[in-house]
Amino acid sequence: MDHAAGITLRPARAGDGAALFEVTRRSVLGLAGSHYSAAQLAGWMGDRDAAFYEGVIAQGGAVVAEKAGSIVGFVDAEAGEVTRLFLLPETAGAGLGKRLLQIGIVTARAGHSGPIKVEATRNAESFYRHHGFATVRTGHFSHGVGGDPIEIVLMELPTKPA
């Protein structure tokens, strides 16, 4: 566990789904508004609910950041891809995103030798670029759980040098 700046990092566990849902919802509403329409923001969560995030947790690979006993951010990754990284808006810009991304990259590299992929939202594109990811192309993502498609940026972190 990492305890810098009053933040504890730990693997997500059963029962954290409602908190992950809320972090995602608040992150989208608080950080993506300058890049997406009100209709896109309103439909962003689609049919997601706490049970959806319990399923994410059950797959392993999700790590949460806690401050004063509350989850304030999380990252989820699988071989070759950082699949989710969300922070509460009030925690953005203080280095927590970088810490979570580093964990996500380590998880994504485990058993994977190619580039690490991320489907970045438009508002997060510069964050990922700052951390070494390059834009491959733009596209649209429907979230797979309802809601209007949103524009995303498909990005890759090059293969780690030998």
Side-chain angles (χ1 to χ4, degrees):
M1 287 191 201
D2 181 347
H3 298 283
I7 301 285
T8 300
L9 302 175
R10 64 163 175 82
R13 56 184 176 245
D16 287 340
L20 271 58
F21 171 86
E22 189 62 15
V23 166
T24 305
R25 186 187 71 75
R26 288 181 54 197
S27 179
V28 167
L29 293 176
L31 299 173
S34 62
H35 291 79
Y36 296 98
S37 71
Q40 288 172 313
L41 294 175
W44 195 293
M45 299 303 288
D47 295 331
R48 281 186 190 87
D49 57 13
F52 171 85
Y53 289 94
E54 289 295 336
V56 168
I57 293 164
Q59 294 174 15
V63 172
V64 300
E66 285 185 319
K67 184 170 186 172
S70 294
I71 294 175
V72 297
F74 73 97
V75 65
D76 181 47
E78 57 190 43
E81 183 175 7
V82 176
T83 52
R84 292 170 194 83
L85 194 163
F86 290 96
L87 305 172
L88 291 180
E90 58 269 25
T91 65
L96 179 57
K98 176 182 178 179
R99 291 169 61 199
L100 288 171
L101 180 59
Q102 290 168 338
I103 291 167
I105 291 169
V106 168
T107 301
R109 286 208 191 282
H112 178 79
S113 59
I116 303 301
K117 298 177 183 179
V118 67
E119 293 183 353
T121 56
R122 284 307 231 170
N123 56 294
E125 180 180 12
S126 63
F127 167 79
Y128 288 108
R129 184 169 291 116
H130 178 75
H131 294 290
F133 284 79
T135 299
V136 175
R137 67 182 181 281
T138 60
H140 286 84
F141 183 60
S142 68
H143 308 289
V145 289
D148 291 338
I150 61 162
E151 187 175 350
I152 56 165
V153 183
L154 303 162
M155 302 181 82
E156 290 185 352
L157 183 66
T159 304
K160 190 174 184 177

